[in-house]
Amino acid sequence: MLHASQQEDILTAAQILKKGGLVGIPTETVYGLAANALDGNACAKIFAAKGRPADNPLIVHICDIKQLYTLVRTVPEEAEKLASLYWPGPLTMIFPKADCIPDEVSAGLDTVAIRFPSHPAAQAVIRESGLPLAAPSANLSGRPSPTTAQHVLHDLGGKIDAVLDGGACSVGLESTVITLACTPPRLLRPGGVTLEQLRSALGNVILDPAVLNPLEAGEKAASPGMKYKHYAPKANVILLDGPREKYISYVNEHPVNAAALCYTEDQEFLSVPTVCYGNEQDPSEQARELFDALRRLDDLGVKTVFARQPKLDGVGLAVYNRLIRAAGFEVLKL
Ligand code: AMP
Ligand code: MG
């Protein structure tokens, strides 16, 4: 375990990466499992450690906008606009890839996903290593993404070279992913930069159907990560869609082997074990808390989890996108 507050630990992390190793690093979204993005062998180790399907591409992290132009073939005007508004920050953009991007990173696609994170420790490691860093979430594939260094150790301890502890992540959900390779641009994954913000910058932005709905059998995912089962705790999660009073009475009427994943204000009215994921009026808090809450649900050992469905606007869309996957798209309208 390395510590982001120690400059020598930042240098150690950078050294490991330069030698082709793997380091869990803090970012403002979630912890990333970093490797040299220009080294196919180093990136292959990411897939092995996570148990990640080989067709799910990696996001490349940079610490300077100039780096972008060395990694991609073209930068559309819309990308420059979004970069000026939201970089550094929780926004990933998809570009036609340059030849230096190994196949392991792009998973055979002709495109590459790029992000400039705002977390000072992430920037410091990228800067000190002198490398663009491929870094998917530092969890075992299928588990909730890690928002603390302890989550990373829990999933990947013994399989990676180090974790750099930079405290809890401030956004708490993975980055917004948008592709500008089509017209109009398409939101592939909602995150801390919202659909409303993207539309106010670019005009029309399409919401990819896979954000809200399961893929049909045989349908091709625009973002390969969308097709995999995600975030699921051991219990069966059911999203309950309805007002607070109905949620509370439904859960209290179905208490056997059940727990509630609820808003903080719901807790005192529920007669089953509860895990809270933030305040009803604060989607940013819900985003920050959700993955830790999903991990804590496993400790309760219940069979069913009744989750309160979040609102769908702003950052709420990103919260909903993760929860609906944790629930395997099982929603009960109250
Ligand atoms: P993770 O970093 O683990 O949160 O996963 C990265 C996400 O970005 C996955 O959902 C990938 O499918 C998506 N992604 C990465 N590269 C591309 C790309 N070139 N085209 C479309 N989606 C991508
Ligand atoms: Mg992930």
Side-chain angles (χ1 to χ4, degrees):
M1 180 75 89
L2 302 169
H3 297 279
S5 55
Q6 308 286 321
Q7 180 60 16
E8 62 193 66
D9 282 7
I10 300 270
L11 297 178
T12 303
Q15 279 305 328
I16 295 170
L17 291 162
K18 282 202 265 192
K19 288 187 190 147
L22 301 184
V23 182
I25 61 166
T27 84
E28 71 278 20
T29 59
V30 300
Y31 274 71
L33 182 59
N36 176 0
L38 303 177
D39 177 348
N41 291 331
C43 292
K45 293 186 203 166
I46 292 178
F47 288 84
K50 282 177 58 74
R52 185 176 178 95
D55 67 350
N56 194 4
L58 308 176
I59 295 172
V60 177
H61 293 70
I62 59 175
C63 68
D64 183 333
I65 188 93
K66 284 194 219 102
Q67 260 179 312
L68 171 67
Y69 298 85
T70 67
L71 302 170
V72 308
R73 287 203 305 278
T74 53
V75 178
E77 225 173 277
E78 293 104 318
E80 285 179 334
K81 182 162 191 194
L82 289 182
S84 71
L85 288 168
Y86 297 115
W87 275 4
L91 177 68
T92 296
M93 292 189 265
I94 313 274
F95 298 90
K97 79 178 187 83
D99 291 340
C100 62
I101 301 290
D103 277 345
E104 286 80 359
V105 168
S106 53
L109 299 175
D110 190 34
T111 52
V112 62
I114 311 275
R115 185 165 95 82
F116 180 171
S118 65
H119 197 294
Q123 291 182 5
V125 174
I126 302 167
R127 202 180 318 111
E128 292 300 339
S129 67
L131 298 167
L133 297 179
S137 51
N139 53 323
L140 285 175
S141 249
R143 297 263 301 151
S145 295
T147 54
T148 66
Q150 288 70 33
H151 292 164
V152 179
L153 270 191
H154 181 274
D155 277 17
L156 299 176
K159 296 183 170 181
I160 62 178
D161 297 293
V163 184
L164 183 65
D165 187 353
C169 301
S170 60
V171 176
L173 297 179
E174 308 88 339
S175 57
T176 303
V177 179
I178 188 170
T179 177
L180 306 163
C182 52
T183 317
R186 182 180 283 245
L187 179 68
L188 301 180
R189 179 171 76 182
V193 172
T194 65
L195 182 59
E196 292 85 345
Q197 287 173 315
L198 295 170
R199 283 181 174 156
S200 93
L202 301 182
N204 194 10
V205 175
I206 288 180
L207 185 61
D208 193 87
V211 169
L212 298 176
N213 304 297
L215 288 168
E216 308 281 331
E219 193 181 352
K220 194 164 175 282
S223 184
M226 284 290 183
K227 71 176 183 234
Y228 293 107
K229 190 175 152 110
H230 255 113
Y231 317 123
K234 290 175 190 139
N236 182 38
V237 178
I238 302 172
L239 266 193
L240 300 190
D241 176 15
R244 183 157 174 235
E245 312 73 58
K246 286 195 175 169
Y247 173 78
I248 288 166
S249 46
Y250 185 92
V251 174
N252 287 341
E253 284 158 18
H254 299 81
V256 180
N257 243 323
L261 177 61
C262 61
Y263 294 138
T264 317
E265 317 79 301
D266 305 336
Q267 188 174 30
E268 61 179 303
F269 302 102
L270 291 162
S271 61
V272 300
T274 54
V275 171
C276 299
Y277 77 102
N279 206 281
E280 178 160 17
Q281 303 308 331
D282 191 348
S284 297
E285 184 187 21
Q286 294 162 25
R288 215 160 36 239
E289 300 288 328
L290 180 66
F291 285 145
D292 185 60
L294 288 174
R295 284 174 179 261
R296 279 187 286 137
L297 281 172
D298 279 347
D299 302 334
L300 296 178
V302 294
K303 260 171 87 176
T304 308
V305 170
F306 297 115
R308 182 91 190 273
Q309 171 162 316
K311 298 201 179 68
L312 266 68
D313 52 342
V315 177
L317 182 67
V319 176
Y320 175 76
N321 169 267
R322 306 319 189 269
L323 254 180
I324 191 87
R325 284 173 167 70
F329 292 93
E330 192 175 352
V331 180
L332 190 67
K333 186 109 186 127
L334 297 175

